[in-house]
Amino acid sequence: SGLVYGNLKTWIDEISSVAVTSLGPAMVQLLVSFGITDPVKLYKANKQDFIVALNSEKLGEKAFNAIQSTKTLTLDLFLSALAIPSLGTTNGQRIAQHFKTLDKVMAASRDEIGTVPGIKTNAVKIFKGLQEKRDLINELATLLTITEPPKPMIGKLTGKSFCITGSLSKPRTEVEDWIRANGGEVKSSVGKNLTCLITADPESGSVKNEKAKKLG
Protein backbone atom coordinates (compact mmCIF):
# COMPACT_ATOMS: atom_id res chain seq x y z
CA SER A 1 0.00 0.00 0.00
CA GLY A 2 0.98 3.63 -0.25
CA LEU A 3 1.40 3.85 3.52
CA VAL A 4 3.82 0.91 3.60
CA TYR A 5 5.83 2.42 0.73
CA GLY A 6 5.79 5.87 2.33
CA ASN A 7 6.94 4.60 5.71
CA LEU A 8 9.80 2.58 4.24
CA LYS A 9 10.87 5.43 1.99
CA THR A 10 10.89 7.82 4.96
CA TRP A 11 13.19 5.44 6.82
CA ILE A 12 15.54 5.06 3.84
CA ASP A 13 15.57 8.80 3.09
CA GLU A 14 16.41 9.69 6.70
CA ILE A 15 19.23 7.18 7.07
CA SER A 16 20.70 8.04 3.65
CA SER A 17 22.98 10.58 5.33
CA VAL A 18 24.74 7.64 6.99
CA ALA A 19 24.72 5.31 3.98
CA VAL A 20 27.28 5.53 1.19
CA THR A 21 24.43 5.71 -1.29
CA SER A 22 20.67 6.19 -1.24
CA LEU A 23 17.84 4.15 -2.76
CA GLY A 24 15.52 5.97 -5.12
CA PRO A 25 11.70 5.68 -5.24
CA ALA A 26 11.70 2.97 -7.92
CA MET A 27 14.10 0.82 -5.91
CA VAL A 28 12.05 1.25 -2.74
CA GLN A 29 8.93 0.18 -4.63
CA LEU A 30 10.72 -2.95 -5.87
CA LEU A 31 11.76 -3.81 -2.31
CA VAL A 32 8.17 -3.43 -1.09
CA SER A 33 6.86 -5.57 -3.95
CA PHE A 34 9.39 -8.25 -3.00
CA GLY A 35 8.12 -8.25 0.60
CA ILE A 36 10.65 -5.98 2.30
CA THR A 37 7.91 -3.79 3.75
CA ASP A 38 9.39 -2.28 6.92
CA PRO A 39 12.78 -1.36 8.45
CA VAL A 40 13.04 -4.65 10.38
CA LYS A 41 12.72 -6.68 7.19
CA LEU A 42 15.12 -4.26 5.50
CA TYR A 43 17.89 -5.16 7.95
CA LYS A 44 17.03 -8.86 8.10
CA ALA A 45 17.12 -9.26 4.31
CA ASN A 46 20.31 -10.83 2.98
CA LYS A 47 22.32 -9.82 -0.08
CA GLN A 48 20.55 -12.34 -2.31
CA ASP A 49 17.16 -10.89 -1.32
CA PHE A 50 18.28 -7.46 -2.52
CA ILE A 51 19.69 -8.88 -5.76
CA VAL A 52 16.42 -10.69 -6.55
CA ALA A 53 14.22 -7.76 -5.46
CA LEU A 54 16.10 -5.24 -7.60
CA ASN A 55 16.69 -7.73 -10.43
CA SER A 56 20.37 -6.76 -10.59
CA GLU A 57 23.41 -8.23 -8.91
CA LYS A 58 25.26 -4.90 -9.01
CA LEU A 59 22.36 -2.79 -7.68
CA GLY A 60 21.36 -5.41 -5.16
CA GLU A 61 24.84 -5.70 -3.69
CA LYS A 62 25.24 -1.91 -3.59
CA ALA A 63 21.87 -1.44 -1.86
CA PHE A 64 22.53 -4.24 0.64
CA ASN A 65 25.91 -2.78 1.59
CA ALA A 66 24.38 0.70 1.93
CA ILE A 67 21.69 -0.53 4.32
CA GLN A 68 24.18 -2.59 6.36
CA SER A 69 26.35 0.52 6.76
CA THR A 70 23.51 2.19 8.70
CA LYS A 71 23.29 -0.33 11.54
CA THR A 72 24.63 2.31 13.93
CA LEU A 73 22.38 5.38 14.15
CA THR A 74 22.20 8.35 16.48
CA LEU A 75 18.97 8.53 18.49
CA ASP A 76 17.74 11.68 16.72
CA LEU A 77 18.14 10.08 13.30
CA PHE A 78 16.46 6.88 14.48
CA LEU A 79 13.43 8.75 15.79
CA SER A 80 12.97 10.95 12.72
CA ALA A 81 13.17 7.88 10.43
CA LEU A 82 10.18 6.16 12.06
CA ALA A 83 7.61 8.07 9.96
CA ILE A 84 5.66 9.20 13.02
CA PRO A 85 3.47 12.28 12.47
CA SER A 86 5.10 15.47 13.83
CA LEU A 87 8.31 13.57 14.63
CA GLY A 88 10.53 14.81 11.81
CA THR A 89 14.16 15.91 11.81
CA THR A 90 13.74 18.91 14.11
CA ASN A 91 11.53 17.26 16.72
CA GLY A 92 13.63 14.12 16.57
CA GLN A 93 16.63 16.24 17.55
CA ARG A 94 14.71 17.97 20.34
CA ILE A 95 13.48 14.74 21.91
CA ALA A 96 16.83 12.99 21.51
CA GLN A 97 18.70 15.87 23.14
CA HIS A 98 16.23 15.90 26.04
CA PHE A 99 16.04 12.16 26.81
CA LYS A 100 19.44 10.99 25.46
CA THR A 101 18.50 7.28 25.21
CA LEU A 102 15.79 5.27 23.45
CA ASP A 103 14.78 3.58 26.72
CA LYS A 104 14.05 6.96 28.30
CA VAL A 105 12.09 8.11 25.24
CA MET A 106 9.92 5.00 25.32
CA ALA A 107 9.39 5.26 29.09
CA ALA A 108 8.31 8.90 28.87
CA SER A 109 4.66 9.79 29.43
CA ARG A 110 2.74 12.08 27.12
CA ASP A 111 3.14 14.90 29.63
CA GLU A 112 6.88 14.32 29.92
CA ILE A 113 7.24 14.48 26.14
CA GLY A 114 5.23 17.72 26.23
CA THR A 115 7.83 19.33 28.51
CA VAL A 116 10.50 19.13 25.77
CA PRO A 117 11.05 22.67 24.40
CA GLY A 118 9.19 23.12 21.11
CA ILE A 119 7.23 19.86 21.43
CA LYS A 120 4.17 20.79 23.50
CA THR A 121 1.62 21.19 20.67
CA ASN A 122 2.73 17.92 19.03
CA ALA A 123 3.19 15.85 22.19
CA VAL A 124 -0.05 13.86 21.80
CA LYS A 125 0.69 12.85 18.19
CA ILE A 126 4.29 11.92 18.98
CA PHE A 127 3.42 9.93 22.10
CA LYS A 128 0.65 8.06 20.26
CA GLY A 129 2.95 7.31 17.31
CA LEU A 130 5.70 5.95 19.55
CA GLN A 131 3.24 3.69 21.37
CA GLU A 132 1.72 2.41 18.11
CA LYS A 133 5.18 1.53 16.81
CA ARG A 134 6.52 0.13 20.08
CA ASP A 135 6.88 -3.43 18.72
CA LEU A 136 8.70 -2.20 15.61
CA ILE A 137 10.95 0.04 17.72
CA ASN A 138 11.78 -2.78 20.15
CA GLU A 139 12.70 -5.13 17.31
CA LEU A 140 14.81 -2.48 15.58
CA ALA A 141 16.62 -1.88 18.87
CA THR A 142 17.80 -5.51 18.81
CA LEU A 143 19.12 -5.13 15.24
CA LEU A 144 20.74 -1.70 15.49
CA THR A 145 23.15 0.18 17.70
CA ILE A 146 21.48 3.44 18.75
CA THR A 147 23.88 6.03 20.12
CA GLU A 148 23.37 9.30 21.97
CA PRO A 149 22.66 12.32 19.75
CA PRO A 150 25.56 14.63 18.95
CA LYS A 151 25.86 17.63 21.24
CA PRO A 152 24.34 20.79 19.74
CA MET A 153 26.97 22.93 18.03
CA ILE A 154 27.45 26.53 19.08
CA GLY A 155 28.36 28.96 16.33
CA LYS A 156 27.43 32.03 14.32
CA LEU A 157 24.03 30.54 13.42
CA THR A 158 23.02 29.59 16.98
CA GLY A 159 19.44 30.63 17.68
CA LYS A 160 18.55 30.77 13.98
CA SER A 161 16.54 28.27 11.95
CA PHE A 162 16.60 27.40 8.25
CA CYS A 163 14.43 25.54 5.77
CA ILE A 164 15.55 24.50 2.28
CA THR A 165 13.40 24.23 -0.83
CA GLY A 166 14.28 23.12 -4.35
CA SER A 167 17.71 22.28 -5.78
CA LEU A 168 20.80 24.17 -4.69
CA SER A 169 24.34 24.49 -6.06
CA LYS A 170 25.43 21.95 -3.43
CA PRO A 171 23.75 18.76 -2.18
CA ARG A 172 21.05 19.53 0.39
CA THR A 173 22.65 17.30 3.04
CA GLU A 174 25.92 19.23 2.69
CA VAL A 175 24.12 22.55 3.28
CA GLU A 176 22.18 21.12 6.24
CA ASP A 177 25.38 19.77 7.79
CA TRP A 178 27.02 23.20 7.40
CA ILE A 179 24.06 24.89 9.10
CA ARG A 180 24.13 22.47 12.04
CA ALA A 181 27.94 22.69 12.32
CA ASN A 182 27.53 26.44 12.81
CA GLY A 183 24.86 26.06 15.49
CA GLY A 184 21.78 26.55 13.31
CA GLU A 185 18.62 24.48 13.31
CA VAL A 186 17.27 22.81 10.15
CA LYS A 187 13.48 22.74 9.81
CA SER A 188 11.42 20.74 7.32
CA SER A 189 8.69 23.37 6.89
CA VAL A 190 8.12 27.14 6.90
CA GLY A 191 6.58 28.59 10.05
CA LYS A 192 6.38 31.89 11.89
CA ASN A 193 9.52 31.14 13.91
CA LEU A 194 11.69 30.32 10.87
CA THR A 195 14.66 32.65 10.36
CA CYS A 196 15.36 31.98 6.70
CA LEU A 197 14.15 29.98 3.71
CA ILE A 198 17.03 28.93 1.45
CA THR A 199 16.12 28.66 -2.25
CA ALA A 200 17.85 28.97 -5.61
CA ASP A 201 14.76 30.71 -7.00
CA PRO A 202 13.13 33.32 -4.73
CA GLU A 203 10.48 33.97 -7.40
CA SER A 204 9.34 30.36 -7.48
CA GLY A 205 5.66 29.82 -6.76
CA SER A 206 6.36 26.86 -4.48
CA VAL A 207 4.29 26.48 -1.32
CA LYS A 208 7.33 27.13 0.88
CA ASN A 209 8.27 30.29 -1.05
CA GLU A 210 4.75 31.66 -0.93
CA LYS A 211 4.40 31.00 2.79
CA ALA A 212 7.82 32.56 3.48
CA LYS A 213 6.77 35.74 1.61
CA LYS A 214 3.56 35.99 3.61
CA LEU A 215 5.49 35.64 6.86
CA GLY A 216 8.15 38.10 5.74
Side-chain angles (χ1 to χ4, degrees), residues 15-194:
I15 66 168
S16 65
S17 59
V18 178
V20 177
T21 186
S22 59
L23 282 69
M27 295 172 75
V28 176
Q29 188 61 64
L30 288 172
L31 293 176
V32 171
S33 297
F34 179 75
I36 300 174
T37 52
D38 62 47
V40 168
K41 292 177 180 176
L42 191 69
Y43 289 104
K44 285 187 172 182
N46 59 38
K47 189 184 297 183
Q48 190 60 32
D49 290 331
F50 277 85
I51 291 171
V52 174
L54 301 179
N55 195 30
S56 166
E57 186 166 349
K58 184 178 179 180
L59 286 177
E61 187 168 340
K62 191 175 181 181
F64 172 77
N65 290 336
I67 294 302
Q68 290 298 304
S69 72
T70 67
K71 292 185 81 171
T72 295
L73 297 173
T74 56
L75 178 59
D76 55 313
L77 194 55
F78 176 85
L79 293 174
S80 63
L82 291 169
I84 291 173
S86 299
L87 186 54
T89 304
T90 300
N91 284 345
Q93 291 169 352
R94 289 168 172 164
I95 289 176
Q97 290 293 344
H98 184 86
F99 292 106
K100 305 299 185 187
T101 69
L102 181 60
D103 284 345
K104 288 181 180 177
V105 171
M106 297 309 294
S109 67
R110 183 183 63 190
D111 290 342
E112 287 171 332
I113 289 174
T115 64
V116 179
I119 296 293
K120 187 174 182 180
T121 57
N122 294 309
V124 174
K125 283 184 182 178
I126 292 172
F127 176 77
K128 182 181 178 184
L130 288 169
Q131 297 311 308
E132 288 177 347
K133 296 201 172 187
R134 182 176 284 275
D135 289 344
L136 175 72
I137 291 168
N138 288 342
E139 196 161 359
L140 281 170
T142 68
L143 298 171
L144 307 176
T145 299
I146 303 167
T147 62
E148 281 196 22
K151 292 181 180 178
M153 301 296 287
I154 304 297
K156 55 192 173 183
L157 299 181
T158 298
K160 298 179 180 179
S161 57
F162 303 82
C163 178
I164 299 172
T165 183
S167 300
L168 304 177
S169 58
K170 293 183 178 181
R172 182 174 294 200
T173 53
E174 188 176 323
V175 178
E176 291 177 343
D177 288 345
W178 180 85
I179 291 170
R180 293 189 184 105
N182 284 277
E185 181 180 8
V186 177
K187 291 181 175 285
S188 57
S189 60
V190 175
K192 62 181 180 180
N193 295 321
L194 185 73

